[in-house]
DNA sequence: AGGTATTCAGACTTATTTATCTGAAATATA
DNA sequence: TATATTTCAGATAAATAAGTCTGAATACCT
């Protein structure tokens, strides 16, 4: 296998985006998120707990409880979510795992990879959840069955 | 965690590069590769077997046996190795795991990611092992303790 | 032929990630 | 207060990736 982000991280991003599509202050249950996004219920619970502990979400127990964004959606970037779940090792490590590889002692693809990695970093840091939510509401961005008609 | 290629794949790339630094036709044992590149012996054995089955390497048993490149180093690209070990799913899948995401039904970062992914693809396909070996022999590219004085 | 060095093959173990289960704590509502 | 609904916490299980072990097969060398 070879992918950029862990499955947990994918689930986290999808969930935060889903919450951003809700009206401000509205609480959403794990059950709803798990059903609409097709994510295992209890696994998602754990992930949302992590995000809550890091302040990205806030939670409320009891009937009518659930989760909501913990900060203004403009302030939540993809990078925040990735950082919270997967960490930021990918911004430092050599693509091919050469432990000695660094700027002064580069592997053969170090420079090329640095450029690409910077591109990924910029993508993560420049995309905030508010902008993504706005995109997602456009007809051209009707991704993810669970997303298509959230609070519209 | 979040990384691009599996550890197997990293080991494979390091090994093929090591072999490319040897004189043409010279056989290298698993033992030597494992020691110099700091890779678990038996695990590396499996990986080299895979590469051999795919034709990227050739092997020879018995004393003075070992592994060598199975094709001219100019013809072996990083993409070949990644393809052989990790597969090529990363060229197709959505970064954030949206199953419905594609060109006509894009997620919010689909276009940006496509550009970055294409960059990765180009890097993999344009870098052949001969060129990397040449780089690695330059003083500016003295990476990987095991690589530094291979057949020089 | 016999001894030795190597890859090959398959079973096995360990570590990590993903997923599930159970019950406790909190809270809204009747 | 009782009940229902939710998150929270920790243990457990299943799946996958990484790593290990043993012995057979092959080939070189004396």
């Amino acid at each position: 296998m070879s992918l950029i982000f862990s499955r947990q991280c994918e689930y986290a991003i999808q969930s935060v985006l889903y919450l951003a599509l809700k009206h401000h202050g509205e609480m959403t249950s794990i059950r709803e998120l798990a059903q609409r996004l097709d994510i295992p219920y209890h696994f998602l619970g754990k992930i949302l707990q992590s995000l809550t502990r890091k302040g990205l979400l806030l939670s409320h127990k009891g009937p009518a409880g659930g989760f909501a964004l913990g900060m203004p959606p403009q302030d939540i970037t993809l990078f925040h979510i990735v950082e919270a779940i997967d960490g930021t090792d990918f911004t430092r490590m050599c693509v091919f795992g050469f432990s000695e590889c660094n700027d002064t002692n580069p592997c053969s693809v170090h420079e090329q990879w640095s450029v690409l990695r910077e591109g990924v970093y910029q993508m993560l840091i420049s995309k905030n959840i508010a902008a993504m939510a706005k995109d997602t509401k456009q007809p051209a961005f009707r991704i993810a069955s669970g997303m298509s008609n959230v609070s519209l």
Side-chain angles (χ1 to χ4, degrees), chain A:
Chain A
M1 202 44 104
S2 71
L3 265 183
I4 305 262
F5 304 114
S6 70
R7 197 170 297 187
Q8 280 196 53
C9 195
E10 291 181 0
Y11 291 162
I13 291 167
Q14 295 179 11
S15 300
V16 173
L17 180 54
Y18 188 96
L19 293 177
L21 289 165
K22 290 300 190 87
H23 293 112
H24 179 72
E26 188 177 351
M27 285 299 193
T28 307
S29 67
I30 301 176
R31 181 178 30 72
E32 177 180 341
L33 283 159
Q35 284 176 357
R36 299 291 291 276
L37 299 175
D38 193 28
I39 299 174
Y41 182 89
H42 291 94
F43 193 38
L44 181 57
K46 298 289 180 200
I47 297 167
L48 298 181
Q49 281 170 40
S50 297
L51 294 174
T52 302
R53 278 194 288 270
K54 308 254 179 178
L56 292 175
L57 301 183
L58 54 84
S59 67
H60 205 68
K61 293 180 186 174
F67 294 85
L69 298 183
M71 349 164 53
Q74 311 90 287
D75 296 349
I76 304 179
T77 65
L78 287 174
F79 189 77
H80 286 132
I81 305 171
V82 170
E83 189 180 29
I85 303 293
D86 278 350
T88 60
D89 281 355
F90 82 96
T91 62
R92 283 180 294 278
M93 312 241 303
C94 174
V95 226
F96 299 137
F98 288 114
S99 53
E100 298 90 345
C101 175
N102 57 51
D103 286 340
T104 60
N105 199 35
C107 78
S108 176
V109 298
H110 185 76
E111 186 52 32
Q112 279 179 82
W113 175 244
S114 295
V115 173
L116 292 168
R117 178 169 53 192
E118 180 63 20
V120 173
Y121 178 71
Q122 286 301 327
M123 179 182 85
L124 294 181
I125 213 161
S126 65
K127 269 289 177 184
N128 70 64
I129 286 293
M132 289 185 70
K134 203 173 165 190
D135 283 348
T136 305
K137 286 184 181 174
Q138 304 298 324
F141 290 95
R142 282 261 170 276
I143 44 99
S145 50
M147 301 285 181
S148 51
N149 53 348
V150 175
S151 78
L152 288 178

